[in-house]
């Protein structure tokens, strides 16, 4: 992650009392989106990759807090599609 991407990420994030980091910029169906320099990316996936690590093949990122716009890596977990539904 480069410093300018991190700065843009933080500038578009607010922090609430529940511990969620709420994405305040572009959202589609409640999920934040951000341009990564090459393409639009789902922000909670970027946050997971930046702060936790690579998303294992075949897994999805689940919001443990059930807040689609949350990008707090502590609230994100890699799970199967079945577990995510």
């Amino acid at each position: 992650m480069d410093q300018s991407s991190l700065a843009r990420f933080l500038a578009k994030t607010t922090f609430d009392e529940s511990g969620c980091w709420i994405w305040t910029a572009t959202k589609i169906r409640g999920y934040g989106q951000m341009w990564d320099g090459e393409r639009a990316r789902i922000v909670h996936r970027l946050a997971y990759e930046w702060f936790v690590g690579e998303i294992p093949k075949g897994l999805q990122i689940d919001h443990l807090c059930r807040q689609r716009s949350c990008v707090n890596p502590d609230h994100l977990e890699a799970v199967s599609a079945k577990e995510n539904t």
Side-chain angles (χ1 to χ4, degrees):
M1 161 184 27
D2 63 68
Q3 292 297 337
S4 65
S5 294
L6 179 59
R8 285 184 17 248
F9 173 85
L10 293 173
K12 297 175 182 190
T13 303
T14 61
F15 305 91
D16 73 15
E17 64 283 342
S18 70
C20 287
W21 300 4
I22 304 298
W23 183 254
T24 61
T26 303
K27 295 177 194 161
I28 298 194
R29 292 186 298 277
Y31 297 103
Q33 289 203 345
M34 177 178 166
W35 185 256
D36 74 356
E38 297 177 17
R39 62 188 172 104
R41 298 280 311 272
I42 304 294
V43 183
H44 68 277
R45 293 179 60 86
L46 279 176
Y48 188 92
E49 291 170 358
W50 286 342
F51 298 107
V52 178
E54 186 176 335
I55 300 169
K57 291 208 182 293
L59 297 185
Q60 300 176 352
I61 300 302
D62 184 26
H63 291 87
L64 300 172
C65 59
R66 299 291 166 237
Q67 173 63 259
R68 288 182 177 187
S69 60
C70 181
V71 294
N72 180 343
D74 290 336
H75 293 190
L76 305 173
E77 179 180 41
V79 298
S80 68
K82 181 177 181 180
E83 187 175 348
N84 199 21
T85 53

